[in-house]
């Protein structure tokens, strides 16, 4: 699922990024703003691949030593599913993939991405696949 297909809330928005798959990312996430995906799936464990960019740098530090890790809180079907580090990708145009194992129910599932404590990454796309097909 690409950025344009996700539901955005709380001020997060679709941003043009020519380096992203299909040309968009979901930005301005965190502090109440976030994104969510909804899809049909079989019950059981699934691999969720989150493609993201995080080009944030700390102020007053030397290049290479100033990378900032942002965090992403996942909520799967209304239940907290963990907090995950979105490590610095060096630029907002370089996308890394973070894998997470999530347990899904039969039928419609929703996964929300955000961070109430601060900003989180810009999301490019989300891929999901059953671990025991």
């Amino acid at each position: 699922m690409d950025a344009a297909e996700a539901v955005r809330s709380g001020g997060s928005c679709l941003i043009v990024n020519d380096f992203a798959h299909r040309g968009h990312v979901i930005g301005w996430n965190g502090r109440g703003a976030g994104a969510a995906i909804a899809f049909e799936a079989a019950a059981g464990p699934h691999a969720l691949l989150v493609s993201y960019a995080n080009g944030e740098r700390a102020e007053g530090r030397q290049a290479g030593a100033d990378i900032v890790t942002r965090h992403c809180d996942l909520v799967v079907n209304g239940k907290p599913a963990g907090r995950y580090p979105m490590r610095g990708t060096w630029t907002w145009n370089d996308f890394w993939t973070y894998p997470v194992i999530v347990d899904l129910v039969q039928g419609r599932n929703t996964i929300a991405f955000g961070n109430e404590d601060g900003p989180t990454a810009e999301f490019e796309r989300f891929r999901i696949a059953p671990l025991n097909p």
Side-chain angles (χ1 to χ4, degrees), residues 1-4 17-25 51 95 124-125:
M1 180 173 291
D2 293 310
N17 183 318
D18 292 334
F19 295 93
H21 181 65
R22 298 203 179 156
H24 292 90
V25 296
S51 295
F95 299 95
E124 177 197 29
R125 63 179 162 166

Side-chain angles (χ1 to χ4, degrees), residues 72-132:
C72 179
D73 299 319
L74 293 187
V75 177
V76 178
N77 295 322
K79 298 178 185 172
R83 171 170 267 218
Y84 299 94
M86 301 282 123
R87 305 277 186 221
T89 61
W90 301 100
T91 76
W92 293 106
N93 299 323
D94 188 15
F95 299 95
W96 291 3
T97 301
Y98 194 93
V100 180
I101 305 301
V102 293
D103 286 315
L104 301 179
V105 298
Q106 180 70 36
R108 193 81 170 157
N109 288 270
T110 302
I111 301 176
F113 307 84
N115 179 354
E116 290 298 321
D117 299 329
T120 189
E122 290 185 349
F123 302 115
E124 177 197 29
R125 63 179 162 166
F126 311 96
R127 291 168 283 177
I128 191 139
L131 288 178
N132 300 316

Side-chain angles (χ1 to χ4, degrees), residues 5-41:
E5 299 172 273
V7 174
R8 297 165 302 281
S9 63
S12 78
C13 59
L14 201 60
I15 299 171
V16 173
N17 183 318
D18 292 334
F19 295 93
H21 181 65
R22 298 203 179 156
H24 292 90
V25 296
I26 303 168
W28 296 100
N29 300 302
R31 295 189 178 101
I37 58 173
F39 53 91
E40 299 290 325

